Amino acid sequence: MWNFGGGSCRFSHNSSAEKMRILEESPSYAHGSSSAGQEPQDADYDVPCLSDELETMILARFPIPKHWKMCCLSKRFLTLLKSGEIYKIRRVIGFKEPSVFMLASGEKNWCAFDGHFRSCRKLPIIPSDYNFEWGNKESFSAGTYIFVSGKEVDGGVVWRYELATNEWFKGPSMLSQRCLFASASCGTMAFVAGGIETTTREVLSSAEKYNSESHIWEQLPRMIQKRKSCSGCYLDNKFYVLGGQNEQKKDLTCGEFYDEDTNTWNLVPAMFKDIPLSTPRSPPLIAVANNELYTLDASSNELKVYLKKSNSWKKLGPVPVRADARLGWGVAFKSLGNELLLIGDTSASYSQRAVMKIYTCFPDPHVEKLKWKQIVCSSTNLHPFIHNCAVMLA
């Protein structure tokens, strides 16, 4: 039974699902292709015909890790996938699932996991230069794209990974090349603000918005405060920028948010007053789940939730990963739909045999201590120090 809104459709035993079962049992399927050196072909079975619209709605609901299987089954799906049309349909029907992309220490390839960490695949290597590969990088997502910002020999650059084609492309570059900036995503839009200009090393107050459908960066009004090493999130339909340092290297406890409706920035004084600051530290580790803001205090390994009405933070107990071992560096703390995702190491010092640990939890700001669940994944033999991590909802 497949449900579409309030309606439903029943299939006979010779349905698309049956096609999928036959394909999975074939020898060529086990090797991940229809046949060596051949293009994917539409399966030729004696089955009732479905309308293109109904078939497309069915295909759009297949999980992302199974998309390559569907490409082996149907040339039509391959066309829909590479054009990005299948993801537009998923957005329209409200069918989204998280995927986690990360770059672990010692790896050249980014790894992509499904939201349950049941599958893992390596992305193609970013075709950049030595300077970009070994330099500091920031990452964020928008729509079906992952963006990695860094510096090549010739200057700052943004590389984007396209989920539909499984390829990396250069650009378009930000209007102001920057590093150590805040970023956040909302649907097909990405926001960046602050940071350090990669050439002049000036601390910035400028902000930009990126439309992943038109591939255009748009200048936003400047923030109230210049800041670097800050973090961003999307909360209450607004782009928040938190913490960091100003041009005099003074720690900032204030936050501010950009309101698209009024096209203005608004200051939130003392927003980080309850979070101990230490130097050198990572940018604040923050994540939003169910429209609530959480931070991982790297000095105490405690999770805290932001209380909007009182502009304060409430403790929710310790986390299983030792974020204090490197003052927050190397730890991935992200929102995974309505869950919180935590990736790192459980020991204070990394050993050669150390592997990353993955934990999730369904946060509740009303409890005294959250319960974390360890995710067992056969592909977690990666180094526990995570350089970059981004979550895509597509």
Side-chain angles (χ1 to χ4, degrees):
M1 176 78 72
W2 295 83
N3 293 320
F4 303 100
S8 63
C9 176
R10 295 184 181 274
F11 296 103
S12 67
H13 67 283
N14 286 326
S15 64
S16 294
E18 181 69 8
K19 290 183 187 180
M20 194 68 181
R21 183 190 65 78
I22 294 172
L23 178 66
E24 290 181 343
E25 293 177 355
S26 67
S28 61
Y29 174 85
H31 292 86
S33 62
S34 55
S35 60
Q38 294 184 2
E39 292 293 324
Q41 299 182 10
D42 289 319
D44 185 18
Y45 301 110
D46 184 18
V47 296
C49 292
L50 300 175
S51 68
D52 287 348
E53 182 180 357
L54 180 57
E55 185 178 83
T56 300
M57 292 290 285
I58 295 171
L59 294 174
R61 292 172 180 266
F62 272 84
I64 290 177
K66 296 185 182 294
H67 281 185
W68 69 271
K69 301 178 183 180
M70 296 304 299
C71 290
C72 296
L73 177 67
S74 168
K75 286 191 294 184
R76 182 167 177 272
F77 181 81
L78 179 62
T79 301
L80 288 170
L81 183 67
K82 287 193 172 183
S83 67
E85 189 66 25
I86 203 74
Y87 298 110
K88 292 180 181 179
I89 296 170
R90 288 164 69 92
R91 286 198 296 270
V92 169
I93 64 178
F95 192 81
K96 296 181 181 179
E97 56 185 307
S99 299
V100 181
F101 297 79
M102 70 176 73
L103 179 65
S105 180
E107 299 289 324
K108 290 187 176 182
N109 302 77
W110 281 65
C111 289
F113 296 84
D114 70 284
H116 301 286
F117 289 87
R118 293 170 184 163
S119 66
C120 173
R121 61 187 176 89
K122 288 190 174 183
L123 305 188
I125 294 177
I126 300 178
S128 188
D129 60 22
Y130 179 89
N131 198 63
F132 183 89
E133 178 183 351
W134 294 101
N136 293 325
K137 294 177 281 290
E138 278 85 28
S139 61
F140 54 94
S141 69
T144 56
Y145 301 93
I146 295 294
F147 300 89
V148 183
S149 173
K151 188 175 183 181
E152 295 182 336
V153 172
D154 295 332
V157 65
V158 174
W159 284 91
R160 76 177 190 275
Y161 170 77
E162 296 192 356
L163 180 63
T165 60
N166 190 37
E167 293 180 277
W168 290 98
F169 298 91
K170 183 181 287 189
S173 295
M174 299 180 199
L175 302 177
S176 297
Q177 295 297 333
R178 64 188 77 209
C179 61
L180 294 175
F181 56 87
S183 65
S185 304
C186 178
T188 59
M189 300 294 180
F191 298 82
V192 300
I196 301 175
E197 210 282 333
T198 54
T199 302
T200 64
R201 308 304 294 174
E202 176 190 358
V203 179
L204 300 173
S205 62
S206 62
E208 306 174 32
K209 179 175 72 173
Y210 180 78
N211 186 326
S212 64
E213 294 185 323
S214 64
H215 300 296
I216 294 176
W217 286 97
E218 174 190 344
Q219 192 79 56
L220 298 179
R222 291 184 176 274
M223 291 189 295
I224 299 171
Q225 175 70 62
K226 289 184 177 182
R227 59 180 81 214
K228 63 178 181 178
S229 299
C230 45
S231 294
C233 66
Y234 207 78
L235 178 71
D236 291 329
N237 296 317
K238 298 175 179 63
F239 172 41
Y240 274 77
V241 180
L242 310 176
Q245 294 181 326
N246 63 14
E247 62 270 38
Q248 283 83 38
K249 296 184 179 181
K250 178 182 177 182
D251 292 325
L252 299 172
T253 60
C254 63
E256 52 188 298
F257 63 85
Y258 172 69
D259 188 337
E260 285 194 273
D261 293 336
T262 60
N263 195 34
T264 59
W265 287 91
N266 300 267
L267 194 68
V268 185
M271 190 173 182
F272 256 45
K273 65 180 184 299
D274 298 332
I275 309 298
L277 301 176
S278 58
T279 302
R281 69 188 186 284
S282 73
L285 299 172
I286 60 174
V288 173
N290 292 317
N291 203 38
E292 299 287 351
L293 175 61
Y294 298 86
T295 187
L296 171 53
D297 185 345
S299 64
S300 62
N301 279 334
E302 285 186 306
L303 184 72
K304 299 178 180 180
V305 61
Y306 179 65
L307 304 179
K308 302 174 186 177
K309 293 183 178 180
S310 60
N311 190 29
S312 61
W313 295 84
K314 173 187 173 183
K315 296 180 181 180
L316 294 176
V319 299
V321 165
R322 291 296 301 271
D324 61 334
R326 298 290 185 275
L327 294 177
W329 296 106
V331 172
F333 179 62
K334 299 289 180 179
S335 55
L336 192 65
N338 293 327
E339 295 181 86
L340 293 178
L341 171 67
L342 183 59
I343 306 174
D345 195 6
T346 55
S347 62
S349 60
Y350 296 124
S351 66
Q352 292 183 347
R353 296 183 178 181
V355 295
M356 70 178 189
K357 303 295 193 305
I358 304 172
Y359 297 89
T360 61
C361 76
F362 287 98
D364 183 350
H366 303 292
V367 302
E368 295 299 321
K369 182 179 179 181
L370 291 181
K371 294 182 180 179
W372 292 86
K373 174 185 176 183
Q374 183 172 1
I375 303 298
V376 179
C377 177
S378 59
S379 302
T380 54
N381 56 341
L382 298 172
H383 195 280
F385 192 95
I386 308 301
H387 288 295
N388 299 97
C389 183
V391 176
M392 175 191 295
L393 282 173

